[in-house]
Amino acid sequence: MDKKVTMQDVADAAGVSKSTVSFILNGRDDLRISEQTKKKVWQVINMLNYRPNLYAKNLRGTKSNNVIAFYMGQGLSDLEKLNFFEFFDAAANILLESGKRAQLLLDIDRLDNVDAIVARNLAKEDFSALAECNFIPVIAGDCVVNDPIFYEVSIDYPAVKESADKSLPAGYTYVCTYPKDDRLRHQLLSVFPEVRFVKCYADLTALEGNSFLVTEPLLQKALLGLGKEIFYPDGLMERQIRQVLECVSLAVSREHQEQHSFYIS
């Protein structure tokens, strides 16, 4: 039998006291509790499916909409937009297998008609802003969140490097679209000896060398078109998408899970 979620569990996950959770549930406006803290507590309440009978009417609905939103991010170049839409289209097709559909989200806004939001390649502050204004699960892809109430799906870069070293023994440069997350950029620079971040097609044509590792199918196609030698882990994007959607299912179920970070290679 699943362990019943308690008010203390909510307090621990939100990083506040049990009394603060109680005050928020009781609508104690006479106390000075920040809006950010209130949003965090309500988010945890919904994530953990905490349902004290007295306050059940205050909690957001649990009816499934069979819709997953994908946040594109702002200020993207044409190359970055194409990269996003390749992922979005592939995810939409996989969702159709189970009778679900994908919805495009262009702005950081609150959604009440979807089951979860998938956010990829965001700076941590943008991910936090998106999560804070929503009371549904938000799944992080290719951004380092390090918060146990969110699921993260990232590429296992050391494992990918090991495979690339075998396929391109003479050496190579790792190429990817510009990571918005500072910690992800630093991780990539520490894992690979040679790294190039690209934002547009001109950046691709300006690359020096002939052998490249990529983890995005769009860049694989573009560099192959330029006559380059490319290593791309077969099926990587599909494995990423399926793991993201598995995390959506876990988050929507609101069942307790020990593991919240997943690495794909």
Side-chain angles (χ1 to χ4, degrees), residues 108-120:
I108 293 179
D109 201 0
R110 177 172 169 178
L111 295 179
D112 293 315
N113 61 338
V114 304
D115 297 320
I117 300 172
V118 174
R120 298 183 69 241

Side-chain angles (χ1 to χ4, degrees), residues 37 62 69 75 89 103-104 118 122 152 187 211 216 225 251 254:
T37 298
T62 59
D89 289 344
Q103 176 176 311
L104 180 62
V118 174
L122 293 186
E152 286 184 43
Q187 179 189 3
S211 299
E216 298 156 298
R254 293 178 171 87

Side-chain angles (χ1 to χ4, degrees), residues 130-264:
L130 180 63
E132 285 172 4
C133 68
N134 282 279
F135 298 102
I136 56 175
V138 182
I139 311 302
D142 295 327
C143 51
V144 183
V145 177
N146 284 338
D147 188 325
I149 73 168
F150 298 108
Y151 286 93
E152 286 184 43
V153 179
S154 300
I155 293 174
D156 186 340
Y157 291 103
V160 168
K161 179 183 183 298
E162 184 176 344
S163 297
D165 289 346
K166 296 175 182 177
S167 295
L168 301 171
Y172 57 87
T173 299
Y174 175 65
V175 179
C176 68
T177 52
Y178 188 80
K180 303 297 189 296
D181 185 83
D182 290 340
R183 287 170 296 180
L184 179 56
R185 279 200 306 277
H186 294 152
Q187 179 189 3
L188 293 173
L189 291 170
S190 68
V191 170
F192 299 105
E194 296 290 335
V195 180
R196 296 292 181 273
F197 301 132
V198 297
K199 292 185 176 180
C200 61
Y201 279 104
D203 292 339
L204 290 174
T205 58
L207 289 172
E208 297 180 356
N210 189 59
S211 299
F212 299 94
L213 162 67
V214 298
T215 49
E216 298 156 298
L218 181 69
L219 299 188
Q220 177 194 26
K221 297 169 191 172
L223 289 172
L224 284 174
L226 294 173
K228 306 296 185 179
E229 182 182 19
I230 303 299
F231 175 72
Y232 168 77
D234 289 339
L236 177 63
M237 186 173 72
E238 180 176 347
R239 290 194 294 278
Q240 282 181 282
I241 292 171
R242 292 192 181 278
Q243 183 60 66
V244 165
L245 298 182
E246 174 62 23
C247 287
V248 167
S249 297
L250 291 173
V252 169
S253 75
R254 293 178 171 87
E255 295 179 2
H256 176 72
Q257 302 289 333
E258 292 294 336
Q259 183 177 0
H260 278 243
S261 297
F262 298 86
Y263 298 92
I264 311 301

